[in-house]
Amino acid sequence: LCAAVPLKDMKLLDVKLGQLPTWLAMRDYTPGGILGAIRRGYDRYYNKYINVRKGGLGGISMVLAGYVVISYIWSYSHL
């Protein structure tokens, strides 16, 4: 049998729709908590797409595509 994971420690994809407001209320919205979440996201991305044995162009092309989309949005903000 699997032990139940507390709602605070669940990942977003594991949270049911009815539990979403409670889960969001338990998040850490202090500057340190936000920076920690950004850091964890960057570390996951880096370890999944950049820091691999047989690397490809996948990770770097996603960063480049993101940059292109953001620069397009900044250039055409009147749309």
Side-chain angles (χ1 to χ4, degrees), residues 45 49-50 55-64:
Y45 172 81
Y49 293 108
I50 306 297
L57 294 176
I60 295 172
S61 63
M62 281 195 291
V63 171
L64 184 62

Side-chain angles (χ1 to χ4, degrees), residues 23-68:
W23 183 83
L24 286 172
M26 291 183 184
R27 299 294 94 201
D28 185 11
Y29 292 108
T30 62
I34 292 171
L35 286 175
I38 292 171
R39 176 77 170 179
R40 286 190 304 275
Y42 172 77
D43 288 343
R44 281 185 66 190
Y45 172 81
Y46 182 82
N47 287 326
K48 186 173 182 178
Y49 293 108
I50 306 297
N51 190 23
V52 293
R53 286 189 186 158
K54 278 174 75 171
L57 294 176
I60 295 172
S61 63
M62 281 195 291
V63 171
L64 184 62
Y67 173 74
V68 167

